[in-house]
Every structure is written in C-alpha cells, then in structure tokens.
C-alpha cells in the first residue's frame, strides 16, 4: 500500500495510490497520515478499503511530505562503507546520529532553497524509515515490526555549516526545505528486504549517486534497535538511514555543489521518485 498527502502547503489531505496509479482521497476515513493510522491495526483498516469507492484527487495535484505531524527526524551519518571511504573517514563503530529539524520537511517535488551565502549545498539520496508504533528498548530481531513503512528522503546538506562552522552537524542539515519526504510511504509488507534496494540521484541529468542498501554498515533493524536504546521512537517519527557514495563533497579532485536553477531527481527501487528545483532563498 502506498500512502501520501496531497494539496497546498499546510492544507494537505491524506490519500493513497490505487492499482492504476490514481491518487484517492482518504479524508472521509482518516484525518492524517500520522499517529495510530500508522499502527498495524490502522494500516490493516486502510488496506481493507476498496480504493474505487474513494474520491479521486485532482489530476496533477501537489504532493506533500508523505507523513504528517512528524515528531522528530533522526538521521544516520556515514552509514555506507563506500561513502565513508569517499569522505576519507573511518568506518564508525556505532551509528553516527544527528537530527534534521522538522521545519526542514517539505514535499518530494517542492523547491529546495539554497541558503543565503551558501557555497556548499549538497545532495544525499537516502532510505527513510517511518515508525508505526511506540518503540523503546527493542532488539534488532524484533525492530522491523515497529516500522510502518519506507520512503525516499533527500538529506540536503550545507557542508560549510555542517563541517566548518563549529559544533555539531545539525546546523548544516536543518535549513528550511532540506528534508523532502516521499512521494509516498510504502508499507513494510511491500518491502520484503530493506537491505536490497537500489537508490540513485541525478543533478541536471547527470547520475552522481548509484548505490544499494546492502552496503549499509548498520542495517535498518540495527538502527531502529540502537536508537530505541537512547530515545523512544513514536508513530510518525522518520529515520533517514544514510547515503551511498557520489555526494558533491566527495567528488575528486574538486567537489561539486548545488546552485540555484538546477534540478535534482532521485529515487529508490519500489519507493518512487522525487524531483526538486533549486532556488535562491529569499
């Protein structure tokens, strides 16, 4: 099942994609793709619906972030062995954890704003994990049972603020529009193995990132279990699990960064695609 949110910014409605790829309105059934709707029981209720009985959304409607009321967005850094190598950094012995502010979250095809004065805004295609029920002190063997589903994330990053301005990474990760989510949330029953997913990213038609989640250092199950030891995870929380090689920072001999007027296109097998235009922040 593919769940989404559609409509103008701040006025998104819940929806799903039917077998023909048509967006159907779920407003008469649930008020949001959030909270208990993401539980096993909540998803089973939606799965039992006949999509043909639901109203169609307007054709070409804007898609919002695929999850509403996100409580926190937790990110994992340096989680692909080949990305750590291109960054000239050692393989971490434990997950590298940082946060992306929820004010950064936008729709999958919304504009990405290059911050004022930025010289080093970068791209990162990542597998997003959406939590479906309260999760605390779980074991890796049980961790995937707490996942509602998966989505595409672009962990946009300003490298100067992340690396050169002191403090922690969070500053460079949390600018407005730096967290596109979607196009939809694919429920976990449709993703039998989250460690076998191809993911890729292009800028202006040039393929920079080509990877597969099998090269993750810490698996999705290990990440969920690890985070649950140091925080409670709640329904609708999003975990962004790291990026494969090919980010602008890692390009040799000269890094390549985004500028206004470019187009990013990225996707994950079975989870859909995003497309963003870069614009100068006002």
């Amino acid at each position: 099942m593919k769940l989404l949110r559609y409509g103008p910014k701040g006025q998104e409605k819940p929806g799903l994609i039917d077998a023909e790829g048509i967006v159907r309105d779920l407003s008469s059934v649930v008020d949001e793709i959030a909270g208990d709707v993401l539980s096993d029981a909540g998803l089973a209720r939606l799965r039992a619906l006949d999509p043909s009985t639901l109203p169609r959304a307007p054709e070409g409607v804007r898609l919002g972030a695929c999850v509403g009321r996100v409580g926190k967005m937790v990110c994992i850094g340096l989680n692909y062995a080949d990305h750590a190598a291109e960054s000239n950094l050692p393989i971490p012995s434990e997950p590298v954890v940082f946060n992306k502010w929820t004010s950064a979250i936008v729709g999958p095809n919304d504009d990405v704003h290059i911050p004022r004065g930025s010289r080093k805004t970068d791209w990162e295609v990542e597998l997003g994990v959406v939590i479906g029920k309260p999760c605390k002190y779980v074991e890796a063997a049980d961790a995937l049972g707490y996942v509602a589903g998966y989505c595409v994330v672009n962990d946009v990053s300003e490298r100067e603020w992340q690396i050169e301005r002191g403090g922690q990474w969070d500053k460079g990760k949390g600018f407005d529009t730096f967290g596109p989510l979607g196009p939809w949330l694919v429920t976990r029953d449709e993703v039998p193995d989250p460690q076998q997913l191809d993911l890729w990213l292009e800028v202006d038609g040039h393929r920079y990132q080509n990877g597969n989640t099998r090269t993750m250092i810490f698996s999705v199950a290990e990440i969920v279990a690890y985070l649950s030891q140091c925080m409670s995870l709640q329904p609708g929380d999003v975990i962004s699990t790291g990026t494969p090689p090919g980010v602008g920072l890692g390009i040799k001999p000269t890094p390549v960064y985004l500028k206004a007027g470019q187009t990013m296109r990225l996707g994950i097998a079975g989870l859909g695609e995003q497309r963003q235009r870069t614009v100068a922040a006002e």
Side-chain angles (χ1 to χ4, degrees):
M1 186 166 54
K2 295 179 175 66
L3 303 175
L4 52 77
R5 299 167 67 249
Y6 73 92
K9 292 181 182 180
Q11 302 175 44
E12 291 90 349
K13 296 181 179 180
L16 59 75
I17 299 286
D18 70 13
E20 284 71 49
I22 297 168
V23 177
R24 299 283 183 167
D25 182 20
L26 281 172
S27 297
S28 63
V29 184
V30 297
D31 70 336
E32 183 59 285
I33 305 299
D36 290 343
V37 172
L38 299 170
S39 68
D40 290 346
L43 294 176
R45 179 186 177 208
L46 297 183
R47 203 171 283 115
L49 297 171
D50 178 357
S52 67
T53 65
L54 300 170
R56 292 187 179 209
E59 192 169 344
V61 70
R62 170 190 173 268
L63 297 183
C66 58
V67 186
R69 300 200 291 261
V70 176
K72 53 185 173 289
M73 187 169 179
V74 186
C75 303
I76 307 299
L78 298 174
N79 195 35
Y80 285 70
D82 32 12
H83 174 52
E86 77 171 350
S87 302
N88 295 316
L89 293 169
I91 299 293
S93 58
E94 295 191 30
V96 176
V97 180
F98 61 93
N99 293 301
K100 189 178 281 282
W101 320 126
T102 56
S103 54
I105 295 173
V106 291
N109 304 314
D110 289 344
D111 291 346
V112 166
H113 296 179
I114 305 296
R116 292 182 181 180
S118 171
R119 299 175 299 158
K120 298 182 179 181
T121 297
D122 205 347
W123 56 82
E124 294 190 10
V125 60
E126 306 201 0
L127 172 65
V129 177
V130 180
I131 298 298
K133 58 185 178 181
C135 176
K136 189 173 178 67
Y137 295 126
V138 305
E139 300 296 327
D142 304 317
L144 294 186
Y146 292 82
V147 173
Y150 303 92
C151 66
V152 181
V153 176
N154 190 351
D155 175 22
V156 186
S157 309
E158 212 295 335
R159 301 302 189 188
E160 181 180 359
W161 280 87
Q162 177 190 353
I163 300 169
E164 303 171 28
R165 301 289 291 265
Q168 300 180 340
W169 287 7
D170 302 32
K171 290 189 298 186
K173 297 285 190 171
F175 285 90
D176 289 355
T177 75
F178 273 25
L181 299 184
W184 37 71
L185 165 66
V186 179
T187 52
R188 74 170 188 270
D189 57 298
E190 295 193 9
V191 184
D193 186 355
Q195 304 309 144
Q196 294 294 330
L197 300 175
D198 290 328
L199 61 172
W200 55 272
L201 181 144
E202 298 174 353
V203 179
D204 291 341
H206 180 84
R207 182 69 60 97
Y208 283 99
Q209 290 190 275
N210 259 322
N212 188 285
T213 55
R214 65 174 170 266
T215 68
M216 280 185 180
I217 298 164
F218 303 102
S219 69
V220 171
E222 291 169 330
I223 291 167
V224 172
Y226 182 89
L227 293 176
S228 79
Q229 309 306 307
C230 56
M231 67 185 79
S232 61
L233 298 170
Q234 304 299 328
D237 284 351
V238 177
I239 304 169
S240 199
T241 57
T243 198
V247 300
L249 175 66
I251 294 173
K252 307 290 191 299
T254 305
V256 175
Y257 295 112
L258 294 165
K259 56 184 182 294
Q262 295 186 293
T263 299
M264 289 182 281
R265 193 168 72 91
L266 57 149
I268 301 178
L271 303 186
E273 297 184 9
Q274 300 183 355
R275 185 183 183 93
Q276 297 111 21
R277 185 173 59 106
T278 57
V279 301
E282 296 180 356

